């Protein structure tokens, strides 16, 4: 998969990185202790201060005119967070979840914008960053939480500072910097469903300015249910992971070089879906346990391998200037089976593989001499390849039909950006920024039909049938300037009233599942290359977001509040999907049901909403924190072809994965116990009705629900050891997170069409309405030892 230009880029990157410089991330908030209230006019400092890097430089959270949530490693540990999706319960208007049939592919939505289709050609709407390195693809992006310093969630377009595909926002996963002295930490967990985890971390100085460290993690759990056909577990976890880093300088030195590597191997079994309707031919009943499945496809066995290297360097050049460099190479391979209809027969079975590789380089020059002007200039380069291969096997029609697809979509991006803040007065500041992006997408898409079995690429015995229905090579260039501006008024250092405007865009591309031979053509049945390119391609989407907000630290830092109101115009919305379609098969050719990709720029949407986050120290060891999110997300225009007539169906469409209301509340109590400390905490989170797709589906859509978590943690003196008891989803709520549907619907209203009281299948005779569920109740004990 590695291309010559990627190899050349690697050589160039290695040469320039040796002289480039980048900065280490800031510390996150620690649990504040009890202290006398400082003067209201004095800025909050020390333990009361949350430091973030939302604007690519260290700042107090209260100073940043952006809606940001930050979770320290200590807070995540107290709550028993297991992976990055857990934080979504506590952040307003955010959805993070594992994507359908996988354990490690991430679906992310912020303020109504995201993407749940993981195939090459479609881009994320939320940027995921690991130590400031952008993860170009969603595969292997469900990051497990260990050795984390903090996680930041930035809401709203972040295109100026974070670039392409942060149109909805960004999630930043920041790992811990190595200490100057020897350290050792071991964490062991055991819980229900045979959960057994162990993480060992150690670091040591090799001299006055050199440190080395690393972590090894073993994360395993039995299944929540069973595959009744294969006799295997369903929803299990089987992961080995590790990180290693070498640091030179830092801790007061003018130069810090941090070289890091990480590796993850996920050999969990594939997730099988739960059928929501009986088999329409076999009569197979709906199973009682939503975590059980009957899917018969187990080849290839699911296997996810992800690894990468990065080098972050920073140098203080004096005169208020800091130079940073962020160099990275990443690769991930994911293979696995998806049994769409979740039944033993080969009826819509899809073995698939994803192969992704990227290399990136970023330079930043920061300026802050203590005067009224601060800011940065930056350059960014990304060279990435995403290969997707899959069979769609429908053996119940036409002597075993398989539609094989191989799609490679390459991305090459250059960007220049800047962001500056000027203090007009002691209380009033203006920030402006912009980014210009050059984006080139190159696609090579092959779709070949096979008869009598699956394709040889996935071990099938099928033979090629007819000419490829898609054999396409093409490229598109996209150029875009995305501006940002904000104004902040701080009547005191602990109050910030701000208004901002930001723009984001997500690049266009090519539908890797499209059937080129179906392209509308001047000569029926013989589309030209230009007509195929037009049929398979889609345009970039854009959002213009306006936000007003207030951040305040009151009562001497005992009460912290952040309120934001936003309005966003969303245009050229990309709507990818997969549907039943008709292809011509046989001699003479006859229309035969098959599987096709469809993608369109649906039109316009408007999002407006409110967000509230607050935390309070009540005294006596009692603390409260919570969040509330409201979003009115609706399509203003949604154009689809009905009988070859463009039709606006906006009033019948919903914004997916975007509940109108999200809320959470955490109550905690910390008190001395013996010579140590006891922490008691509970969190209640709520999400209102969620639509899984743009077309409402009463089978798949999830009604409003609440989850309750709790934890009890004892920490020994000096934080040398701790033991905690954690409960997640204590009331064992069953809730859908995603699913698949291949049943007939009214093309305008989207209502499911029925015959004899059952949905009418559009692909395969059994009907496909399958769902995947969030984790059931889990209880586990974690012991931690530090040295």
């Amino acid at each position: 998969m590695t291309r010559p230009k990627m190899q050349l880029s690697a050589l160039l990157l290695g040469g320039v990185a040796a002289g480039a410089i980048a900065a280490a991330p800031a510390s996150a908030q620690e649990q504040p202790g009890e202290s006398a209230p400082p003067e209201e006019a004095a800025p909050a400092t020390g333990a009361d201060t949350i430091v973030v890097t939302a604007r690519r430089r260290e700042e107090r959270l209260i100073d940043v005119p952006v809606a940001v949530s930050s979770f320290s490693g200590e807070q995540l540990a107290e709550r028993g967070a297991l992976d990055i999706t857990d934080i979504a319960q506590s952040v307003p208007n955010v959805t993070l979840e594992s994507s359908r049939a996988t354990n490690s592919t991430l679906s992310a939505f912020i303020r109504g914008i995201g993407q749940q289709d993981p195939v090459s050609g479609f881009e994320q709407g939320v940027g995921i960053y690991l130590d400031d390195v952008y993860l170009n693809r969603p595969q292997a992006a469900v990051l497990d939480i260990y050795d984390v310093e903090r996680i930041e969630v930035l809401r709203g377009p972040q295109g100026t500072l974070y670039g392409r595909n942060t149109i909805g926002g960004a999630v930043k996963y920041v790992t811990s910097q190595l200490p100057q002295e020897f350290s050792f930490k071991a964490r062991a967990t055991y819980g229900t469903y045979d959960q057994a985890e162990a993480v060992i971390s150690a670091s040591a100085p090799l001299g006055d300015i050199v440190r080395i460290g690393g972590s090894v993690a073993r994360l395993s759990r039995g299944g929540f249910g069973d595959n009744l056909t294969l006799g295997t577990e369903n929803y299990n976890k089987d992961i080995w992971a590790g990180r290693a880093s070498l640091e030179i300088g830092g801790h007061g030195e003018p130069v810090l070089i941090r070289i890091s590597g990480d590796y993850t191997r996920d050999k969990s079994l594939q997730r099988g879906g739960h059928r929501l309707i009986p088999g329409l031919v076999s009569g197979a009943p709906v199973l009682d346990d939503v975590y059980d499945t009957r899917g018969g496809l187990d080849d290839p066995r699911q296997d996810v391998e992800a690894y990468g290297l990065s080098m972050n360097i920073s140098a203080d050049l004096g005169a208020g200037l800091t130079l940073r460099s962020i160099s990275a190479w990443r690769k991930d391979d994911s293979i696995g089976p998806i049994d769409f209809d979740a039944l033993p027969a080969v009826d819509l079975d899809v073995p698939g593989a994803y192969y992704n590789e990227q290399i990136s380089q970023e330079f930043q020059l920061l300026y802050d001499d203590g005067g009224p002007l601060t800011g940065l200039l930056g350059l960014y380069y990304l060279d990435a390849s995403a290969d997707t291969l899959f069979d769609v096997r429908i053996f119940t029609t036409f002597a075993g039909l398989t539609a094989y697809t191989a799609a490679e979509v390459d991305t090459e991006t250059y960007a220049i950006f800047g962001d500056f803040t000027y203090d007009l007065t002691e209380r009033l500041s203006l920030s402006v920024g912009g980014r210009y992006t050059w984006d080139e997408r190159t696609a090579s898409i092959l779709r070949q039909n096979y008869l009598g079995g699956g394709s040889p690429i996935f071990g099938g015995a099928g033979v090629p049938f007819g000419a490829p229905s898609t054999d396409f090579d093409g490229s598109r260039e996209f150029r875009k300037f995305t501006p940002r501006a904000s104004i902040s008024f701080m009547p005191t250092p602990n109050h910030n009233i701000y208004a901002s405007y930001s723009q984001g865009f997500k690049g266009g591309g090519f539908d890797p599942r499209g059937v080129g031979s179906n392209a509308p053509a001047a000569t029926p049945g013989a589309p030209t290359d230009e007509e195929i390119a037009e049929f398979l391609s889609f345009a970039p989407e854009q959002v213009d977001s306006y936000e007003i907000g207030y951040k305040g630290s009151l009562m001497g830092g005992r009460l912290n509040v952040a309120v934001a109101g936003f309005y966003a115009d969303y245009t050229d919305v990309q709507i990818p999907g997969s549907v039943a379609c008709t292809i011509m098969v046989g001699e003479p050719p006859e229309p035969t049901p098959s599987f096709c990709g469809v993608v369109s720029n649906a039109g316009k949407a408007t999002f407006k909403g409110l967000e509230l986050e607050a935390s309070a120290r009540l005294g006596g060891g009692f603390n409260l924190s919570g969040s509330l999110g409201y979003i009115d997300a609706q399509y203003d225009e949604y154009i689809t072809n009905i009988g070859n007539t463009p039709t606006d169906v906006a009033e019948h469409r919903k914004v997916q994965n975007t509940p109108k209301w999200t809320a959470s509340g955490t109550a905690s109590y910390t008190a001395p116990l013996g010579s140590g400390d006891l922490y008691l905490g509970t969190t209640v989170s709520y999400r209102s009705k969620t639509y899984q797709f743009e077309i409402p589906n009463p089978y798949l859509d999830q009604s409003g629900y609440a989850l309750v978590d709790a934890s009890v943690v004892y920490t020994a003196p000096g934080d040398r050891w701790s033991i905690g008891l954690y409960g997640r989803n204590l009331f064992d709520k069953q809730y859908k997170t995603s699913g698949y549907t291949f049943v007939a619907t009214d093309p305008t209203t989207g209502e499911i069409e029925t015959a004899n009281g059952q949905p009418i299948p559009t692909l395969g005779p059994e009907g496909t309405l399958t769902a995947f569920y969030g984790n059931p109740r889990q209880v586990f004990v974690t012991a931690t030892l530090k040295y």
Side-chain angles (χ1 to χ4, degrees), residues 124-143:
Q124 307 170 78
V126 174
I128 308 298
Y129 288 79
L130 174 59
D131 287 336
D132 273 335
V133 175
Y134 171 63
L135 306 185
N136 186 59
R137 300 299 304 159
Q139 284 82 24
V142 179
L143 303 174

Side-chain angles (χ1 to χ4, degrees), residues 147-170:
D147 285 355
V148 61
E149 180 180 296
R150 71 179 181 278
I151 297 177
E152 299 175 20
V153 182
L154 288 61
R155 301 188 295 281
Q158 307 297 322
T160 298
L161 288 172
Y162 290 91
R164 63 195 302 276
N165 305 336
T166 56
I167 189 169

Side-chain angles (χ1 to χ4, degrees), residues 663-676:
S664 73
T666 298
S668 65
Y669 172 71
T670 303
L673 181 63
S675 54

Side-chain angles (χ1 to χ4, degrees), residues 544-706:
D544 291 273
S545 179
Y546 307 84
E547 182 175 320
I548 58 173
Y550 164 75
K551 296 182 180 182
S553 180
L554 303 92
M555 302 172 61
R558 296 180 187 275
L559 174 63
N560 292 279
V561 178
V563 184
F566 62 90
Y567 176 89
D569 284 322
Y570 193 19
T571 56
D572 289 326
V573 184
Q574 297 169 5
I575 308 292
S578 51
V579 298
C581 65
T582 299
I583 63 174
M584 302 304 292
V585 176
E587 192 61 45
E590 296 181 2
T592 302
S594 187
F595 172 97
C596 297
V598 290
V599 65
S600 62
N601 292 101
K604 303 175 183 178
T606 300
F607 303 149
K608 48 185 178 291
L610 293 170
E611 296 168 347
L612 168 66
E613 294 179 285
S615 62
R617 289 185 286 126
L618 305 180
F622 289 95
N623 297 277
L624 291 176
S625 64
S627 68
L628 177 67
Y630 166 80
I631 183 169
D632 178 12
Q634 61 181 5
Y635 285 104
D636 303 316
E637 181 183 78
Y638 194 116
I639 304 299
T640 188
N641 284 323
I642 299 178
N644 293 323
T645 300
T647 305
D648 187 353
V649 296
E651 64 176 306
H652 303 291
R653 299 298 184 262
K654 300 294 183 180
V655 177
Q656 63 169 267
N657 285 290
T658 303
K660 179 171 289 190
W661 292 96
T662 53
S664 73
T666 298
S668 65
Y669 172 71
T670 303
L673 181 63
S675 54
D677 293 304
L678 180 68
Y679 169 88
L680 306 173
T682 185
T683 297
V684 180
S685 60
Y686 172 78
R687 304 175 72 83
S688 62
K689 184 172 183 176
T690 303
Y691 297 94
Q692 306 294 355
F693 300 102
E694 282 74 20
I695 299 177
N697 187 307
Y699 290 90
L700 289 176
D701 297 335
Q702 174 61 50
S703 59
Y705 66 95

